Amino acid sequence: MPLVPIHSGLPVLSSASSETPASLSSRTALTPGESLTARVTGRLPTGEYLLSVKDFTLQATSAHPLRMGQALQVRVQSASPFLVFSVADAQPQSLPAAIAEGIRRWLKDPGALTRLLSQREALSALFQACAPSSGLSAKDAQAIMLLMGKLVFSGSTKKDSSFLRDFASRLGMSLEYDLGRLAGGPPSGEAPSAAGSNLKALLLKLSSALERTLQNEAGRGQSEGILLKAFADDLLGAIASRQAVNVAYRQNESGLYLQIPLDSGGVLRQVDIFIAPDAQKDFPEGKFSSCSLAIFLDLDCLGAMAAEASLRDRRLRLVIRCESEQTRQLVAAQTGQLIQSISAAGYTLERLECLTQADLEKRRAEFIRRTVLEASGRVDHFA
């Protein structure tokens, strides 16, 4: 799809030539120099965006990444042969605003990712009900189901030694690349993995395909398709919120904050893992040989637990906190096996404590507020 150059150097959006008759008719009312608002309503698998302008929708390319739902103030540069806009606010959203928006969504439902991944069976039923009208291939549908399973720490995935390392890329967060763009800086690291290898890319493809299908079949039975698109959009929103939270944590601690779904007897629980390298320069290089870790989890049978670890050149210090004395005793009884596992992995355990401490959920909330929210001044009052 051609992109018409603008000699002023301003970023531009160029519409496709394959517009609907309604679009062609409506755009005749647009004149060069006219200012208006264009809203991003979707993105196609080809990388093109869907823009809502006045009362019609266009397919368009953009030299800058756009966000779903983003409202753009544009000026009409040309109406023929292609509709070309210059974008007044094409620069990436400022870090404080982008972070605040994502964190607000996350604080409203911090367990959204785990909750949605737990509905894997329901999603499978929707795929079967919608196929083949969903517009998504059976291969892509199977890939979505497979990736959702691989994102849960369970009896099968715990055998995967690269589970934590691959979690962010499988989800589609691409920390070094996408998060840098969200923060408003130049992209760094490798580009995101190709569509089909991460959940976010496949969900974007599914949402765009369903949007076209629902538009083409307006008035017919669409309940399953509507539900499937709503699920895809909700999961995309949860991933986007996780990206925003990671930007804040990286800004403050130069590290990673992962929320890992854990299969606890058929029920998914959430594990919060915070990793902060000793030296900020280590993060861009992916080095965590010297770092601090904080882990929070709440299991049905064991209750709330937390762990704090310090890793220095393969020497480990570990403090485990349990909310109940009974759980502390159970954990303490397994320390021998834990020491053997740590040694087998090539680490030396210099210190191990197992303590009882109340109000671990409060401790977790205070940790998040200190490291994600307050330290950078990104958030005032969200509760």
Side-chain angles (χ1 to χ4, degrees):
M1 178 178 294
L3 180 66
V4 180
I6 300 297
H7 295 296
S8 66
L10 291 173
V12 300
L13 294 172
S14 174
S15 72
S17 59
S18 57
E19 299 172 78
T20 64
S23 298
L24 290 169
S25 175
S26 300
R27 82 173 194 180
T28 57
L30 300 178
T31 57
E34 180 181 2
S35 296
L36 44 86
T37 298
R39 183 171 298 276
V40 182
T41 60
R43 188 174 186 182
L44 302 177
T46 57
E48 299 160 0
Y49 295 94
L50 294 176
L51 297 180
S52 176
V53 181
K54 292 189 174 180
D55 59 346
F56 59 99
T57 299
L58 299 170
Q59 292 183 21
T61 59
S62 173
H64 290 261
L66 305 177
R67 303 183 314 279
M68 186 77 70
Q70 183 177 6
L72 302 168
Q73 299 304 313
V74 301
R75 181 182 297 274
V76 179
Q77 292 290 331
S78 172
S80 179
F82 300 101
L83 181 57
V84 181
F85 299 126
S86 63
V87 185
D89 59 349
Q91 295 301 316
Q93 190 177 10
S94 65
L95 176 60
I99 295 253
E101 179 183 353
I103 292 180
R104 283 191 179 94
R105 292 196 305 266
W106 178 75
L107 286 175
K108 289 179 180 179
D109 190 1
L113 181 62
T114 298
R115 174 176 53 79
L116 291 167
L117 289 178
S118 70
Q119 299 175 22
R120 191 161 166 260
E121 291 186 5
L123 178 62
S124 178
L126 282 175
F127 272 132
Q128 293 178 12
C130 292
S133 62
S134 67
L136 194 71
S137 69
K139 180 180 178 181
D140 285 340
Q142 292 173 0
I144 289 176
M145 300 302 299
L146 181 63
L147 280 169
M148 289 179 69
K150 287 185 175 181
L151 289 169
V152 176
F153 190 77
S154 61
S156 57
T157 56
K158 73 178 182 180
K159 301 175 184 177
D160 182 0
S161 60
S162 60
F163 176 84
L164 281 179
R165 184 195 67 193
D166 295 340
F167 181 85
S169 59
R170 284 172 175 166
L171 191 61
M173 291 175 59
S174 303
L175 293 171
E176 275 304 286
Y177 189 88
D178 285 342
L179 298 191
R181 285 168 49 179
L182 181 58
S188 58
E190 296 181 357
S193 51
S197 61
N198 72 73
L199 186 59
K200 181 180 177 182
L202 286 168
L203 289 171
L204 285 169
K205 186 175 181 180
L206 172 61
S207 182
S208 295
L210 283 168
E211 184 169 356
R212 292 194 300 271
T213 298
L214 293 173
Q215 289 176 348
N216 293 335
E217 298 182 1
R220 305 178 190 176
Q222 301 178 326
S223 57
E224 291 85 1
I226 292 172
L227 288 174
L228 184 56
K229 187 177 188 307
F231 185 95
D233 291 343
D234 285 347
L235 192 46
L236 283 168
I239 294 172
S241 296
R242 290 295 309 129
Q243 283 186 295
V245 173
N246 258 292
V247 171
Y249 187 70
R250 177 186 171 183
Q251 177 79 9
N252 302 333
E253 305 293 327
S254 298
L256 305 177
Y257 169 25
L258 301 175
Q259 287 183 305
I260 307 295
L262 170 67
D263 188 347
S264 177
V267 177
L268 294 194
R269 311 290 288 188
Q270 182 171 288
V271 182
D272 294 276
I273 302 177
F274 301 84
I275 309 173
D278 286 349
Q280 291 190 3
K281 64 180 178 62
D282 288 345
F283 179 76
E285 300 175 8
K287 297 179 180 178
F288 291 93
S289 57
S290 295
C291 62
S292 298
L293 297 93
I295 302 173
F296 298 90
L297 66 157
D298 190 347
L299 303 178
D300 290 333
C301 55
L302 298 178
M305 300 174 62
E308 298 166 4
S310 175
L311 180 63
R312 304 288 183 274
D313 298 323
R314 306 192 77 82
R315 299 190 306 274
L316 182 66
R317 296 187 175 190
L318 177 63
V319 178
I320 302 174
R321 304 176 190 275
C322 307
E323 203 158 64
S324 75
E325 174 61 20
Q326 182 180 8
T327 298
R328 189 200 68 79
Q329 293 177 8
L330 289 172
V331 173
Q334 302 298 318
T335 54
Q337 182 178 347
L338 176 61
I339 293 173
Q340 291 179 5
S341 298
I342 291 174
S343 177
Y347 296 90
T348 300
L349 185 62
E350 293 187 333
R351 174 191 175 194
L352 174 61
E353 290 187 68
C354 191
L355 311 173
T356 302
Q357 181 170 342
D359 298 326
L360 288 179
E361 175 55 33
K362 181 179 180 181
R363 184 183 182 91
R364 170 187 169 276
E366 290 175 347
F367 186 92
I368 291 175
R369 182 167 293 279
R370 183 178 72 253
T371 60
V372 178
L373 309 181
E374 292 181 350
S376 62
R378 302 301 181 206
V379 178
D380 296 323
H381 302 287
F382 281 178

